[in-house]
Amino acid sequence: MTSPILDLAGVTLEVNHLARGVRFYEQVLGLRLLHHTEEQGVAEFEVNSHQTLTLWKPITRQANSPRLAPLRARGASHLHYAFQILPEALAECKALLDAHGLEWTEINLGTEDRPDWTVYFFDPFGHGLELRGVDLTDARRPHFLPTPMERPAHALPVFGLREVALGFGDYPAMLERLPRAYGFAFAKEQDARNFAQFTLGPQPENDGNGTPRRWLYAWDPQVGLADMLGGDHVHARFYADVEAVAELVKAAGLPHLQDKKGLAVRDPEGHVFEFVAAQ
């Protein structure tokens, strides 16, 4: 089956101090601030022309997104997610993290003959960030190909969101539901743990070794690489054939809303997935 999911559009993080989050993502990542409202508890950043990163500060008796309030959407807690960089920028990234006083861990996700070195670190709120090298000549191309861009000299040279990793208490049910109820393209599981990879594209593909593709990872409650956890109550946005996803969601009987902005769905595990058209 061809998946109606096209690419990763954005993620929303839950934070307890909005101004501190704005400073971190402006200074360390160099992201351009699009919108910041303390009264609403919302700050939105541009990662590139197709992807956004949003911060939500929970406020009592108030929804950060009135539109998504019927689905009880929250920002992600302790989300593990990744940014794309050029492989040759890895040494620069480690030096910049040192300059910002941030601890980091480096892990080879490839092999000795074909290494895929990756750097992990945390933001001030416990979200786990990853820097992953991209081979822009790789044939496994996402719907929106990432393009290197200029960042301030003090900022990491990131140019795209690569992946999000979600936690699921009922792993077997998730493994069946994500392809059936949304159309996510199942790629593979790992042998040693409950860890599934879904390609954010029309067909499942192999992960790793510089692919510029974007990914959805899903695992049971566990501590992953570099002591990182899959996110709880994640709000994530995906580019998709919205009507095709809507048919699957309605057939599955999942709570949802659909309007001119797109389709939003509440997963049984409390995640809220939003599907928008690729413009």
Side-chain angles (χ1 to χ4, degrees):
M1 182 186 83
T2 299
S3 171
I5 312 300
L6 301 176
D7 210 336
L8 178 61
V11 295
T12 301
L13 310 178
E14 191 167 82
V15 302
N16 63 353
H17 196 290
L18 196 59
R20 187 181 182 192
V22 169
R23 287 195 301 271
F24 180 87
Y25 282 97
E26 280 188 319
Q27 292 297 312
V28 178
L29 279 299
L31 305 185
R32 184 169 74 91
L33 184 64
L34 300 175
H35 173 71
H36 178 193
T37 305
E38 285 288 339
E39 293 78 9
Q40 190 181 357
V42 173
E44 184 180 15
F45 299 89
E46 178 187 82
V47 177
N48 54 43
S49 58
H50 301 290
Q51 295 180 313
T52 59
L53 177 74
T54 304
L55 307 181
W56 282 357
K57 176 184 176 182
I59 299 173
T60 186
R61 297 184 177 181
Q62 179 176 312
N64 297 109
S65 169
R67 172 176 170 261
L68 300 179
L71 300 177
R72 305 190 306 281
R74 291 178 60 180
S77 176
H78 53 70
L79 182 70
H80 167 50
Y81 71 107
F83 284 95
Q84 295 167 315
I85 63 169
L86 291 174
E88 57 266 30
L90 202 58
E92 175 190 358
C93 289
K94 291 185 287 187
L96 286 167
L97 290 170
D98 287 338
H100 284 289
L102 295 168
E103 295 184 2
W104 49 269
T105 300
E106 187 175 24
I107 298 174
N108 180 14
L109 299 181
T111 59
E112 288 188 14
D113 61 324
R114 193 179 178 190
D116 187 1
W117 291 101
T118 302
V119 166
Y120 299 82
F121 62 102
F122 288 91
D123 77 358
F125 313 101
H127 299 293
L129 282 66
E130 177 182 342
L131 303 176
R132 193 77 178 270
V134 172
D135 178 1
L136 296 177
T137 67
D138 194 294
R140 299 166 293 177
R141 303 169 81 82
H143 189 81
F144 293 111
L145 186 67
T147 303
M149 56 198 305
E150 279 196 29
R151 298 288 183 196
H154 56 76
L156 297 168
V158 301
F159 51 81
L161 293 171
R162 183 191 190 270
E163 72 198 46
V164 290
L166 279 58
F168 288 87
D170 190 340
Y171 178 84
M174 173 280 299
L175 205 60
E176 184 276 334
R177 183 174 63 252
L178 262 60
R180 172 182 55 81
Y182 309 101
F184 287 106
F186 171 72
K188 64 174 291 188
E189 287 184 275
Q190 290 190 2
D191 295 331
R193 59 187 180 128
N194 286 342
F195 180 106
Q197 300 174 351
F198 296 87
T199 307
L200 298 179
Q203 301 293 338
E205 297 182 4
N206 291 328
D207 193 359
N209 292 114
T211 173
R213 274 285 188 199
R214 276 66 181 250
W215 301 86
L216 173 64
Y217 295 158
W219 61 62
D220 63 9
Q222 63 177 274
V223 177
L225 295 177
D227 299 327
M228 295 185 177
L229 296 163
D232 290 335
H233 45 76
V234 175
H235 171 226
R237 297 171 62 246
F238 305 95
Y239 289 109
D241 178 339
V242 177
E243 291 303 325
V245 178
E247 287 187 17
L248 297 174
V249 165
K250 292 172 184 176
L254 297 178
H256 66 279
L257 61 85
Q258 189 171 6
D259 56 21
K260 62 182 181 181
K261 292 185 177 180
L263 169 73
V265 189
R266 182 175 178 86
D267 185 76
E269 294 263 1
H271 306 302
V272 171
F273 300 140
E274 195 169 354
F275 302 94
V276 297
Q279 303 295 334

PDB file of all heavy atoms in Angstrom, residues 134-157:
ATOM      1  N   VAL A 134      23.489  14.364   6.979  1.00  0.00           N
ATOM      2  CA  VAL A 134      22.657  14.114   5.808  1.00  0.00           C
ATOM      3  C   VAL A 134      23.523  14.091   4.556  1.00  0.00           C
ATOM      4  O   VAL A 134      24.304  15.017   4.306  1.00  0.00           O
ATOM      5  CB  VAL A 134      21.580  15.218   5.656  1.00  0.00           C
ATOM      6  CG1 VAL A 134      20.833  15.061   4.338  1.00  0.00           C
ATOM      7  CG2 VAL A 134      20.611  15.171   6.823  1.00  0.00           C
ATOM      8  N   ASP A 135      23.382  13.031   3.769  1.00  0.00           N
ATOM      9  CA  ASP A 135      24.017  12.940   2.454  1.00  0.00           C
ATOM     10  C   ASP A 135      23.013  13.456   1.423  1.00  0.00           C
ATOM     11  O   ASP A 135      22.064  12.762   1.067  1.00  0.00           O
ATOM     12  CB  ASP A 135      24.396  11.490   2.152  1.00  0.00           C
ATOM     13  CG  ASP A 135      25.025  11.317   0.778  1.00  0.00           C
ATOM     14  OD1 ASP A 135      25.184  12.324   0.054  1.00  0.00           O
ATOM     15  OD2 ASP A 135      25.341  10.164   0.422  1.00  0.00           O
ATOM     16  N   LEU A 136      23.224  14.668   0.950  1.00  0.00           N
ATOM     17  CA  LEU A 136      22.255  15.294   0.058  1.00  0.00           C
ATOM     18  C   LEU A 136      22.237  14.665  -1.331  1.00  0.00           C
ATOM     19  O   LEU A 136      21.363  14.984  -2.139  1.00  0.00           O
ATOM     20  CB  LEU A 136      22.532  16.792  -0.037  1.00  0.00           C
ATOM     21  CG  LEU A 136      22.352  17.560   1.284  1.00  0.00           C
ATOM     22  CD1 LEU A 136      22.718  19.027   1.102  1.00  0.00           C
ATOM     23  CD2 LEU A 136      20.924  17.428   1.796  1.00  0.00           C
ATOM     24  N   THR A 137      23.187  13.765  -1.623  1.00  0.00           N
ATOM     25  CA  THR A 137      23.176  13.059  -2.908  1.00  0.00           C
ATOM     26  C   THR A 137      22.464  11.711  -2.819  1.00  0.00           C
ATOM     27  O   THR A 137      22.314  11.025  -3.826  1.00  0.00           O
ATOM     28  CB  THR A 137      24.610  12.830  -3.417  1.00  0.00           C
ATOM     29  OG1 THR A 137      25.289  11.918  -2.543  1.00  0.00           O
ATOM     30  CG2 THR A 137      25.384  14.141  -3.467  1.00  0.00           C
ATOM     31  N   ASP A 138      22.034  11.327  -1.626  1.00  0.00           N
ATOM     32  CA  ASP A 138      21.369  10.047  -1.426  1.00  0.00           C
ATOM     33  C   ASP A 138      20.063   9.997  -2.216  1.00  0.00           C
ATOM     34  O   ASP A 138      19.326  10.988  -2.282  1.00  0.00           O
ATOM     35  CB  ASP A 138      21.100   9.843   0.067  1.00  0.00           C
ATOM     36  CG  ASP A 138      20.726   8.412   0.412  1.00  0.00           C
ATOM     37  OD1 ASP A 138      19.649   7.964  -0.027  1.00  0.00           O
ATOM     38  OD2 ASP A 138      21.512   7.755   1.104  1.00  0.00           O
ATOM     39  N   ALA A 139      19.765   8.848  -2.795  1.00  0.00           N
ATOM     40  CA  ALA A 139      18.555   8.701  -3.607  1.00  0.00           C
ATOM     41  C   ALA A 139      17.283   8.650  -2.773  1.00  0.00           C
ATOM     42  O   ALA A 139      16.182   8.842  -3.305  1.00  0.00           O
ATOM     43  CB  ALA A 139      18.654   7.441  -4.467  1.00  0.00           C
ATOM     44  N   ARG A 140      17.401   8.387  -1.472  1.00  0.00           N
ATOM     45  CA  ARG A 140      16.219   8.316  -0.605  1.00  0.00           C
ATOM     46  C   ARG A 140      15.815   9.736  -0.208  1.00  0.00           C
ATOM     47  O   ARG A 140      16.191  10.234   0.848  1.00  0.00           O
ATOM     48  CB  ARG A 140      16.528   7.461   0.619  1.00  0.00           C
ATOM     49  CG  ARG A 140      16.891   6.028   0.309  1.00  0.00           C
ATOM     50  CD  ARG A 140      17.516   5.334   1.502  1.00  0.00           C
ATOM     51  NE  ARG A 140      18.818   5.897   1.840  1.00  0.00           N
ATOM     52  CZ  ARG A 140      19.551   5.503   2.895  1.00  0.00           C
ATOM     53  NH1 ARG A 140      19.091   4.552   3.687  1.00  0.00           N
ATOM     54  NH2 ARG A 140      20.722   6.052   3.126  1.00  0.00           N
ATOM     55  N   ARG A 141      15.042  10.396  -1.029  1.00  0.00           N
ATOM     56  CA  ARG A 141      14.785  11.812  -0.867  1.00  0.00           C
ATOM     57  C   ARG A 141      13.398  12.044  -0.252  1.00  0.00           C
ATOM     58  O   ARG A 141      12.415  11.418  -0.647  1.00  0.00           O
ATOM     59  CB  ARG A 141      14.884  12.519  -2.211  1.00  0.00           C
ATOM     60  CG  ARG A 141      16.232  12.306  -2.874  1.00  0.00           C
ATOM     61  CD  ARG A 141      16.249  12.786  -4.307  1.00  0.00           C
ATOM     62  NE  ARG A 141      16.449  14.211  -4.413  1.00  0.00           N
ATOM     63  CZ  ARG A 141      17.647  14.797  -4.352  1.00  0.00           C
ATOM     64  NH1 ARG A 141      18.732  14.072  -4.156  1.00  0.00           N
ATOM     65  NH2 ARG A 141      17.760  16.096  -4.479  1.00  0.00           N
ATOM     66  N   PRO A 142      13.307  12.966   0.708  1.00  0.00           N
ATOM     67  CA  PRO A 142      12.003  13.297   1.281  1.00  0.00           C
ATOM     68  C   PRO A 142      11.201  14.180   0.332  1.00  0.00           C
ATOM     69  O   PRO A 142      11.704  14.636  -0.696  1.00  0.00           O
ATOM     70  CB  PRO A 142      12.389  14.066   2.550  1.00  0.00           C
ATOM     71  CG  PRO A 142      13.674  14.738   2.191  1.00  0.00           C
ATOM     72  CD  PRO A 142      14.403  13.758   1.292  1.00  0.00           C
ATOM     73  N   HIS A 143       9.971  14.415   0.690  1.00  0.00           N
ATOM     74  CA  HIS A 143       9.129  15.278  -0.140  1.00  0.00           C
ATOM     75  C   HIS A 143       9.737  16.678  -0.255  1.00  0.00           C
ATOM     76  O   HIS A 143       9.746  17.273  -1.331  1.00  0.00           O
ATOM     77  CB  HIS A 143       7.723  15.368   0.457  1.00  0.00           C
ATOM     78  CG  HIS A 143       6.732  16.053  -0.422  1.00  0.00           C
ATOM     79  ND1 HIS A 143       6.100  15.426  -1.465  1.00  0.00           N
ATOM     80  CD2 HIS A 143       6.275  17.333  -0.421  1.00  0.00           C
ATOM     81  CE1 HIS A 143       5.286  16.278  -2.071  1.00  0.00           C
ATOM     82  NE2 HIS A 143       5.370  17.442  -1.459  1.00  0.00           N
ATOM     83  N   PHE A 144      10.226  17.199   0.874  1.00  0.00           N
ATOM     84  CA  PHE A 144      10.912  18.497   0.891  1.00  0.00           C
ATOM     85  C   PHE A 144      12.387  18.249   1.202  1.00  0.00           C
ATOM     86  O   PHE A 144      12.748  17.956   2.348  1.00  0.00           O
ATOM     87  CB  PHE A 144      10.299  19.432   1.938  1.00  0.00           C
ATOM     88  CG  PHE A 144       8.888  19.850   1.613  1.00  0.00           C
ATOM     89  CD1 PHE A 144       7.817  19.389   2.372  1.00  0.00           C
ATOM     90  CD2 PHE A 144       8.621  20.698   0.549  1.00  0.00           C
ATOM     91  CE1 PHE A 144       6.519  19.777   2.080  1.00  0.00           C
ATOM     92  CE2 PHE A 144       7.315  21.084   0.245  1.00  0.00           C
ATOM     93  CZ  PHE A 144       6.271  20.624   1.010  1.00  0.00           C
ATOM     94  N   LEU A 145      13.222  18.320   0.189  1.00  0.00           N
ATOM     95  CA  LEU A 145      14.645  18.048   0.369  1.00  0.00           C
ATOM     96  C   LEU A 145      15.280  19.109   1.263  1.00  0.00           C
ATOM     97  O   LEU A 145      15.123  20.311   1.008  1.00  0.00           O
ATOM     98  CB  LEU A 145      15.356  18.024  -0.983  1.00  0.00           C
ATOM     99  CG  LEU A 145      16.832  17.611  -0.961  1.00  0.00           C
ATOM    100  CD1 LEU A 145      16.961  16.146  -0.570  1.00  0.00           C
ATOM    101  CD2 LEU A 145      17.480  17.857  -2.328  1.00  0.00           C
ATOM    102  N   PRO A 146      15.996  18.717   2.322  1.00  0.00           N
ATOM    103  CA  PRO A 146      16.642  19.718   3.184  1.00  0.00           C
ATOM    104  C   PRO A 146      17.756  20.449   2.450  1.00  0.00           C
ATOM    105  O   PRO A 146      18.450  19.860   1.610  1.00  0.00           O
ATOM    106  CB  PRO A 146      17.196  18.880   4.346  1.00  0.00           C
ATOM    107  CG  PRO A 146      17.350  17.509   3.779  1.00  0.00           C
ATOM    108  CD  PRO A 146      16.239  17.341   2.783  1.00  0.00           C
ATOM    109  N   THR A 147      17.902  21.709   2.752  1.00  0.00           N
ATOM    110  CA  THR A 147      18.909  22.555   2.115  1.00  0.00           C
ATOM    111  C   THR A 147      19.708  23.275   3.189  1.00  0.00           C
ATOM    112  O   THR A 147      19.115  23.922   4.065  1.00  0.00           O
ATOM    113  CB  THR A 147      18.249  23.593   1.194  1.00  0.00           C
ATOM    114  OG1 THR A 147      17.441  22.921   0.221  1.00  0.00           O
ATOM    115  CG2 THR A 147      19.298  24.433   0.483  1.00  0.00           C
ATOM    116  N   PRO A 148      21.035  23.166   3.179  1.00  0.00           N
ATOM    117  CA  PRO A 148      21.841  23.902   4.163  1.00  0.00           C
ATOM    118  C   PRO A 148      21.523  25.386   4.133  1.00  0.00           C
ATOM    119  O   PRO A 148      21.238  25.962   3.078  1.00  0.00           O
ATOM    120  CB  PRO A 148      23.279  23.617   3.716  1.00  0.00           C
ATOM    121  CG  PRO A 148      23.188  22.315   2.994  1.00  0.00           C
ATOM    122  CD  PRO A 148      21.860  22.334   2.292  1.00  0.00           C
ATOM    123  N   MET A 149      21.562  26.011   5.302  1.00  0.00           N
ATOM    124  CA  MET A 149      21.228  27.424   5.412  1.00  0.00           C
ATOM    125  C   MET A 149      22.150  28.087   6.418  1.00  0.00           C
ATOM    126  O   MET A 149      22.768  27.425   7.256  1.00  0.00           O
ATOM    127  CB  MET A 149      19.764  27.585   5.827  1.00  0.00           C
ATOM    128  CG  MET A 149      19.403  26.876   7.115  1.00  0.00           C
ATOM    129  SD  MET A 149      17.612  26.618   7.327  1.00  0.00           S
ATOM    130  CE  MET A 149      16.983  28.273   7.154  1.00  0.00           C
ATOM    131  N   GLU A 150      22.268  29.386   6.316  1.00  0.00           N
ATOM    132  CA  GLU A 150      23.134  30.147   7.214  1.00  0.00           C
ATOM    133  C   GLU A 150      22.465  30.306   8.564  1.00  0.00           C
ATOM    134  O   GLU A 150      21.283  30.609   8.657  1.00  0.00           O
ATOM    135  CB  GLU A 150      23.454  31.522   6.621  1.00  0.00           C
ATOM    136  CG  GLU A 150      24.560  31.498   5.583  1.00  0.00           C
ATOM    137  CD  GLU A 150      25.127  32.887   5.298  1.00  0.00           C
ATOM    138  OE1 GLU A 150      25.098  33.734   6.220  1.00  0.00           O
ATOM    139  OE2 GLU A 150      25.561  33.096   4.168  1.00  0.00           O
ATOM    140  N   ARG A 151      23.245  30.082   9.611  1.00  0.00           N
ATOM    141  CA  ARG A 151      22.824  30.354  10.976  1.00  0.00           C
ATOM    142  C   ARG A 151      23.805  31.356  11.584  1.00  0.00           C
ATOM    143  O   ARG A 151      24.934  31.508  11.086  1.00  0.00           O
ATOM    144  CB  ARG A 151      22.829  29.072  11.812  1.00  0.00           C
ATOM    145  CG  ARG A 151      21.878  27.978  11.347  1.00  0.00           C
ATOM    146  CD  ARG A 151      20.442  28.317  11.628  1.00  0.00           C
ATOM    147  NE  ARG A 151      19.549  27.214  11.245  1.00  0.00           N
ATOM    148  CZ  ARG A 151      18.235  27.347  11.093  1.00  0.00           C
ATOM    149  NH1 ARG A 151      17.670  28.538  11.274  1.00  0.00           N
ATOM    150  NH2 ARG A 151      17.490  26.315  10.734  1.00  0.00           N
ATOM    151  N   PRO A 152      23.437  32.028  12.667  1.00  0.00           N
ATOM    152  CA  PRO A 152      24.400  32.888  13.352  1.00  0.00           C
ATOM    153  C   PRO A 152      25.636  32.094  13.772  1.00  0.00           C
ATOM    154  O   PRO A 152      25.576  30.881  13.974  1.00  0.00           O
ATOM    155  CB  PRO A 152      23.613  33.402  14.561  1.00  0.00           C
ATOM    156  CG  PRO A 152      22.175  33.285  14.169  1.00  0.00           C
ATOM    157  CD  PRO A 152      22.093  32.078  13.280  1.00  0.00           C
ATOM    158  N   ALA A 153      26.754  32.772  13.911  1.00  0.00           N
ATOM    159  CA  ALA A 153      28.022  32.103  14.222  1.00  0.00           C
ATOM    160  C   ALA A 153      27.965  31.328  15.531  1.00  0.00           C
ATOM    161  O   ALA A 153      28.681  30.334  15.698  1.00  0.00           O
ATOM    162  CB  ALA A 153      29.145  33.133  14.263  1.00  0.00           C
ATOM    163  N   HIS A 154      27.106  31.748  16.453  1.00  0.00           N
ATOM    164  CA  HIS A 154      27.021  31.082  17.761  1.00  0.00           C
ATOM    165  C   HIS A 154      26.069  29.893  17.748  1.00  0.00           C
ATOM    166  O   HIS A 154      25.912  29.203  18.762  1.00  0.00           O
ATOM    167  CB  HIS A 154      26.548  32.082  18.820  1.00  0.00           C
ATOM    168  CG  HIS A 154      25.244  32.750  18.480  1.00  0.00           C
ATOM    169  ND1 HIS A 154      24.020  32.132  18.588  1.00  0.00           N
ATOM    170  CD2 HIS A 154      24.986  33.995  18.013  1.00  0.00           C
ATOM    171  CE1 HIS A 154      23.063  32.967  18.224  1.00  0.00           C
ATOM    172  NE2 HIS A 154      23.621  34.108  17.864  1.00  0.00           N
ATOM    173  N   ALA A 155      25.415  29.634  16.614  1.00  0.00           N
ATOM    174  CA  ALA A 155      24.347  28.629  16.571  1.00  0.00           C
ATOM    175  C   ALA A 155      24.770  27.384  15.800  1.00  0.00           C
ATOM    176  O   ALA A 155      25.616  27.434  14.906  1.00  0.00           O
ATOM    177  CB  ALA A 155      23.091  29.228  15.934  1.00  0.00           C
ATOM    178  N   LEU A 156      24.150  26.265  16.149  1.00  0.00           N
ATOM    179  CA  LEU A 156      24.390  25.013  15.444  1.00  0.00           C
ATOM    180  C   LEU A 156      23.887  25.111  14.002  1.00  0.00           C
ATOM    181  O   LEU A 156      22.804  25.662  13.757  1.00  0.00           O
ATOM    182  CB  LEU A 156      23.674  23.867  16.161  1.00  0.00           C
ATOM    183  CG  LEU A 156      24.138  23.580  17.588  1.00  0.00           C
ATOM    184  CD1 LEU A 156      23.168  22.624  18.283  1.00  0.00           C
ATOM    185  CD2 LEU A 156      25.542  22.995  17.592  1.00  0.00           C
ATOM    186  N   PRO A 157      24.619  24.570  13.032  1.00  0.00           N
ATOM    187  CA  PRO A 157      24.246  24.699  11.617  1.00  0.00           C
ATOM    188  C   PRO A 157      23.202  23.676  11.177  1.00  0.00           C
ATOM    189  O   PRO A 157      23.394  22.913  10.225  1.00  0.00           O
ATOM    190  CB  PRO A 157      25.577  24.490  10.899  1.00  0.00           C
ATOM    191  CG  PRO A 157      26.330  23.543  11.781  1.00  0.00           C
ATOM    192  CD  PRO A 157      25.957  23.934  13.194  1.00  0.00           C
TER     193      PRO A 157
END
